[in-house]
Amino acid sequence: MKFIPDALQGPSITGYGPGWVEVNGEKYHSSIIVSSQGVIQPWSCLRFEDLGEPHFEELATFASELVLFGSGASIRFTHPQWLKPLYSRRIGLETMDTQAACRTYNFLSGEGRKVVAALII
């Protein structure tokens, strides 16, 4: 699916499909972190089965109010204990499939929210 980009201040997710996400017109085929504050970087968690608390510690270092966790092709929830780094910094977390996380990221970023999308591709 392709998106028509809005006038966002930070990176925009411009498309997605099976096995890829496009940010600002560039396709990514492995897990990434996208921040409305301008960050686009690889995420070391390549599969849901690889997840652990260190991945959420990394996400907690971003100056965000909310993390959108795209868990892959279907919605899967993490172990609640792993979310302590986020909650201790009063950062919210929403879990959804990766395609829903892409759409939600653009919407919230367009509102000027400090949001991070952590996307398992």
Side-chain angles (χ1 to χ4, degrees):
M1 170 178 271
K2 285 284 198 181
F3 291 115
I4 297 171
D6 292 327
L8 301 179
Q9 296 299 320
S12 176
I13 298 175
T14 51
Y16 58 77
W20 61 275
V21 170
E22 186 180 87
V23 181
N24 292 343
E26 183 176 343
K27 277 191 179 178
Y28 295 86
H29 296 278
S30 61
S31 300
I32 61 169
I33 296 170
V34 183
S35 165
S36 62
Q37 304 300 301
V39 175
I40 305 168
Q41 70 182 48
W43 194 25
S44 61
C45 182
L46 299 180
R47 304 175 313 137
F48 183 86
E49 293 77 17
D50 298 333
L51 270 176
E53 188 169 347
H55 296 104
F56 293 95
E57 288 173 1
E58 178 182 5
L59 297 173
T61 64
F62 292 89
S64 69
E65 58 190 89
L66 178 65
V67 170
L68 300 170
F69 170 55
S71 60
S74 61
I75 188 168
R76 297 173 73 183
F77 295 94
T78 65
H79 190 287
Q81 187 74 17
W82 298 342
L83 306 178
K84 281 186 176 183
L86 295 173
Y87 295 154
S88 68
R89 291 178 176 90
R90 302 185 61 84
I91 299 171
L93 176 88
E94 290 291 335
T95 300
M96 54 195 75
D97 65 64
T98 296
Q99 292 185 0
C102 290
R103 294 187 301 268
T104 305
Y105 167 84
N106 280 349
F107 180 80
L108 294 175
S109 181
E111 288 184 338
R113 305 273 304 270
K114 293 181 179 179
V115 62
V116 170
L119 307 172
I120 295 178
I121 308 298

